[in-house]
Amino acid sequence: MAELVQEMGHDCLICRAKREAPHRLLQAAALFGAGLAITSGVLNLRPAHHRAAAAKPVAPVAAPAPAVVRRGAAAHLSFAKAQASQAARDNAAGTLERDAAIGMGRPFFDGAVFTTAARVAQWRPLVVRAARAARIDPNVLEALVYVESSGRADVTNGVTAGLTQLKPAVARHFGLHVSVAHANLLSRRIARSWNAGHIRQLKHWRARYDERFAPAKELRASAAYLAAARTVLGHEDLAIEAYHVGIPALPDTRATYGELYFGSNRVDDYALRVVAAKRIMNMWRHHRGALAFEAGQQARKNSAEEYLHPLASTHRFGKPAAILRAEQHHILRMIPVDTRETHVAISGTLGAEARHLGRARRLYRALRPQALDVLMYIGRRVHELSGARKPLILTSAVRDDRYQDVLQHVNVNAARSYSMHTTGYAFDIARTYANAREGSAFQYVLDRLQAANAIAYIREAEAIHIAVAADAPAKLKLIQTLS
Ligand SMILES: [Zn+2]
């Protein structure tokens, strides 16, 4: 849904941006950014009760200590360091955005990915023409159509309408004729009519009263919006996010979208969804076999976990002895019990069925090193963000097939066929949190990790079931660079 231009009289931000010199814009943005940094604290990344916190009286900010003036070699060294750290951040943000094309793909595999992709693709000639005219990437405009309307040109909710779901004010700003009252009247008559010829005539009239129902015109207006937003914000991905939240919501032009999403909670995941749709359309066009495989894997569970670890190519532990051997050879690592250090407590029910197999509970207190890294990261990060003293509670880690058999008689959530726990890549964390703040910090961390395609998680009744990708540690490093 485009939430685009804030009209001020008959002037708007984009017009002003076009008129004014670009250096003026940059100065204004920098000043605004600096103001924001002081009043709200850019480094305060805490997701919990963001609004409630903003309503509280702001603690007085101590006067900043005068910066140490460096000269000569010291000045040059600190300059070089700043440059290097910015380059590392840019690189991390770019890589994570590419990972997000996969990590955010899950919602598109709703069982109709091929049908929807074909419907979106039929607009390709119009999309290319509109994108070329505005000098933007046609694949981005096409992905926008996928996310906004799934390629249905008639879809409307009474406010937004058409392939790219423009709002009336925005559509008018970019030169479309929009009469919402007429369009709604005609939409109602279209819904009542049974005569195909009559419907065609009514639709023809509607597209004249409200040009958002004329795909070529609406696509042109959306492309022009994206181009204008890119001029103001300086990055294509920020322009896509602006399509969703409006340009005034993204004043800090110095950071890239990836930095804002993975390093803070200042933007939502809209632009990442568009990137994911772009990947789906690319696969539909050029790698259809790969898309079919991915659709099949995604359909198996309530998360992308079997896409991360397909049954055919993933090693599983069959017997308790296999787990013991893996622990001895460091293929599985023991989970530390120092709760104060890790902020993760091990539940008394973890490995509780071991006695039926004649084994000790501690045998099942292990994970693959990658999964252990992610578990430790979650514990540490949730504690940092929420400040909660009470640790998260780990209720399940590695299992073997025998253990899984026993568990099926006890736990209805236990997977019948292929349990990710038997690979050592999955663990469960109880859904009992110290407070709401800890709960939302956990949600924040889970969302970032899933977007980076480092994990896939399922919300079960009692626990969050988390499957970890084999390359998760590399993603953790990138996220840490940004946060
Ligand atoms: Zn589980």
Side-chain angles (χ1 to χ4, degrees):
M1 250 168 294
E3 173 95 35
L4 319 159
V5 193
Q6 244 185 18
E7 288 186 280
M8 301 173 176
H10 44 265
D11 200 351
C12 92
L13 274 178
I14 296 167
C15 294
R16 277 198 297 161
K18 278 181 185 163
R19 216 169 40 235
E20 285 175 19
H23 73 273
R24 276 288 204 72
L25 261 177
L26 280 177
Q27 279 172 359
L31 276 174
F32 191 78
L36 260 187
I38 292 166
T39 53
S40 67
V42 181
L43 297 176
N44 180 10
L45 309 177
R46 298 181 175 190
H49 302 305
H50 195 68
R51 280 180 197 189
K56 283 180 207 154
V58 181
V61 180
V68 181
V69 180
R70 294 175 197 279
R71 292 207 175 80
H76 193 263
L77 191 66
S78 76
F79 168 72
K81 266 188 194 160
Q83 290 282 82
S85 89
Q86 191 51 50
R89 290 176 70 83
D90 288 351
N91 179 35
T95 311
L96 284 170
E97 271 189 60
R98 277 195 296 282
D99 291 332
I102 307 171
M104 297 295 294
R106 169 84 192 167
F108 297 99
F109 294 99
D110 52 359
V113 62
F114 277 87
T115 321
T116 311
R119 191 167 51 231
V120 171
Q122 67 176 326
W123 303 107
R124 185 73 182 179
L126 297 183
V127 164
V128 170
R129 214 173 301 154
R132 290 241 171 94
R135 301 188 177 199
I136 61 159
D137 180 359
N139 297 328
V140 168
L141 188 59
E142 185 179 56
L144 201 75
V145 169
Y146 198 127
V147 171
E148 292 288 353
S149 66
S150 304
R152 292 187 176 91
D154 282 350
V155 68
T156 173
N157 61 6
V159 184
T160 62
L163 277 181
T164 52
Q165 293 287 295
L166 283 177
K167 279 188 171 175
V170 184
R172 285 189 200 110
H173 180 89
F174 286 95
L176 300 192
H177 173 70
V178 178
S179 166
V180 179
H182 280 106
N184 286 347
L185 188 76
L186 286 164
S187 293
R188 279 199 294 278
R189 284 177 62 186
I190 289 166
R192 277 203 302 270
S193 178
W194 291 94
N195 182 320
H198 188 216
I199 290 177
R200 209 176 312 122
Q201 180 65 53
L202 290 171
K203 282 188 174 173
H204 182 68
W205 284 341
R206 186 173 63 174
R208 279 178 34 195
Y209 279 114
D210 185 342
E211 290 181 331
R212 294 176 298 164
F213 290 101
K217 289 179 180 168
E218 196 188 35
L219 286 169
R220 245 187 346 250
S222 302
Y225 178 85
L226 287 174
R230 188 182 54 191
T231 307
V232 176
L233 299 167
H235 291 283
E236 185 171 72
D237 42 9
L238 280 171
I240 300 170
E241 181 65 15
Y243 193 83
H244 185 55
V245 297
I247 293 173
L250 301 167
D252 187 354
T253 52
R254 289 162 304 166
T256 63
Y257 173 78
E259 269 183 276
L260 292 175
Y261 180 76
F262 286 101
S264 73
N265 60 344
R266 293 177 53 202
V267 290
D268 67 7
D269 58 11
Y270 180 82
L272 297 181
R273 277 187 275 148
V274 172
V275 172
K278 192 171 133 187
R279 173 174 175 266
I280 300 270
M281 289 308 295
N282 178 31
M283 287 174 88
W284 184 81
R285 213 164 265 126
H286 304 295
H287 311 278
R288 214 164 279 192
L291 184 64
F293 173 78
E294 193 168 336
Q297 294 304 111
Q298 295 269 11
R300 287 169 185 270
K301 293 267 177 69
N302 286 332
S303 81
E305 67 177 27
E306 291 207 24
Y307 176 62
L308 296 179
H309 299 289
L311 175 61
S313 57
T314 309
H315 179 264
R316 293 186 290 157
F317 299 104
K319 299 175 190 169
I323 291 188
L324 187 62
R325 226 173 13 251
E327 286 172 4
Q328 285 162 349
H329 290 88
H330 308 292
I331 293 161
L332 287 171
R333 292 232 312 263
M334 299 308 292
I335 301 166
V337 286
D338 187 358
T339 302
R340 276 205 198 154
E341 197 64 33
T342 61
H343 307 289
V344 175
I346 293 165
S347 159
T349 59
L350 190 145
E353 313 306 325
R355 59 199 158 88
H356 295 294
L357 301 165
R359 298 281 171 164
R361 272 183 52 208
R362 74 181 293 280
L363 182 70
Y364 296 98
R365 213 185 65 220
L367 283 171
R368 296 246 178 201
Q370 296 96 323
L372 186 60
D373 277 4
V374 169
L375 174 65
M376 296 293 102
Y377 172 80
I378 290 175
R380 195 172 61 242
R381 194 81 183 110
V382 169
H383 172 74
E384 268 170 25
L385 291 171
S386 69
R389 293 249 180 85
K390 196 166 157 266
L392 294 171
I393 299 161
L394 182 78
T395 56
S396 243
V398 71
R399 295 174 199 154
D400 50 59
D401 286 335
R402 292 257 180 89
Y403 191 102
Q404 196 67 22
D405 284 344
V406 176
L407 199 64
Q408 277 171 17
H409 298 289
V410 192
N411 184 349
V412 286
N413 279 326
R416 303 266 145 193
S417 50
Y418 173 27
S419 166
M420 205 45 67
H421 289 282
T422 60
T423 68
Y425 282 112
F427 55 85
D428 296 348
I429 289 178
R431 292 179 63 184
T432 50
Y433 311 120
N435 47 38
R437 214 176 150 75
E438 191 185 49
S440 50
F442 187 29
Q443 185 66 58
Y444 171 88
V445 173
L446 285 177
D447 286 345
R448 266 65 190 172
L449 289 174
Q450 179 158 274
N453 202 32
I455 64 164
Y457 72 90
I458 302 173
R459 193 174 283 111
E460 289 166 356
E462 306 278 315
I464 306 284
H465 168 87
I466 300 167
V468 175
D471 62 349
K475 314 283 177 70
L476 290 183
K477 279 212 186 87
L478 295 174
I479 294 177
Q480 277 163 334
T481 307
L482 295 179
S483 55

